[in-house]
Amino acid sequence: MDWKTLAKSPQEWANLKYNDPRLDAFAEEVEKRYQLPTGIVLAIKNAGERTNPGQVSPAGARGIMQFTDSTRKLREGAFDHDVDDPFQSIDAAGRYLKELIKENKGNAMAAVANYNGGPSAGKAVRSGKQPPAKETQDYISRVKEYLTKKYGGQ
């Protein structure tokens, strides 16, 4: 079953793993759709978040791309979606990353830091510093390592 068929089969979503090749194929489609750097959505999904559909973090972030309610409501609900639908979550992450890259003056790693740790983390990376939280530092390291292994660096 390809990703297009899977997207229409909600009964299958509960058993998906975050790194399912069909979700990877959809993440790559989203990167093209929103003209994002190659691998950025895939790396966040598979190395940054590493969460399966239906998972909830201690902070209340939900779904495969770990959206919080507050993030989903940003910009008058521009990123609101059904967090239980992995395809909606991946698409929302693509839209959100497009905005974050723009806000971070084209700096994709600052956008990744912002995605995980908020605007102060993005600002730190944009100015050549480490984000304040160790969790975000580790997150960025995992994303960079994933990109390097998969694409030879960016």
Side-chain angles (χ1 to χ4, degrees):
M1 173 185 317
D2 65 4
W3 73 260
K4 290 179 182 178
T5 305
L6 180 64
K8 296 174 185 172
S9 305
Q11 66 277 11
E12 302 287 329
W13 300 344
N15 299 319
L16 285 174
K17 299 295 181 204
Y18 67 90
N19 59 353
D20 185 290
R22 296 164 296 184
L23 294 178
D24 290 354
F26 182 69
E28 290 170 341
E29 173 67 28
V30 166
E31 291 167 358
K32 290 175 190 165
R33 181 181 300 162
Y34 298 114
Q35 301 172 346
L36 297 168
T38 300
I40 194 165
V41 175
L42 198 57
I44 286 173
K45 180 177 75 64
N46 290 347
E49 295 303 338
R50 304 176 300 186
T51 54
N52 297 318
Q55 277 187 261
V56 181
S57 78
R62 297 175 45 212
I64 196 158
M65 298 305 287
Q66 290 290 282
F67 274 87
T68 61
D69 287 343
S70 61
T71 301
R72 288 179 30 237
K73 292 175 183 164
L74 286 174
R75 292 170 190 77
E76 298 178 7
F79 311 113
D80 199 10
H81 64 281
D82 178 355
V83 293
D84 294 323
D85 180 333
F87 296 95
Q88 285 188 32
S89 282
I90 292 168
D91 185 77
R95 288 182 280 124
Y96 186 41
L97 282 164
K98 185 171 181 74
E99 291 294 318
L100 291 177
I101 290 170
K102 183 178 175 184
E103 288 173 16
N104 284 282
K105 300 174 178 35
N107 185 321
M109 279 304 122
V112 169
N114 193 328
Y115 187 96
N116 178 260
S120 63
K123 183 178 179 183
V125 171
R126 198 172 60 244
S127 65
K129 299 176 184 166
Q130 287 286 326
K134 172 101 168 79
E135 174 189 338
T136 303
Q137 293 170 19
D138 293 345
Y139 188 96
I140 290 170
S141 292
R142 290 192 310 269
V143 167
K144 284 181 178 179
E145 183 179 328
Y146 182 92
L147 289 169
T148 299
K149 283 182 181 176
K150 185 150 179 83
Y151 302 102
Q154 298 217 336

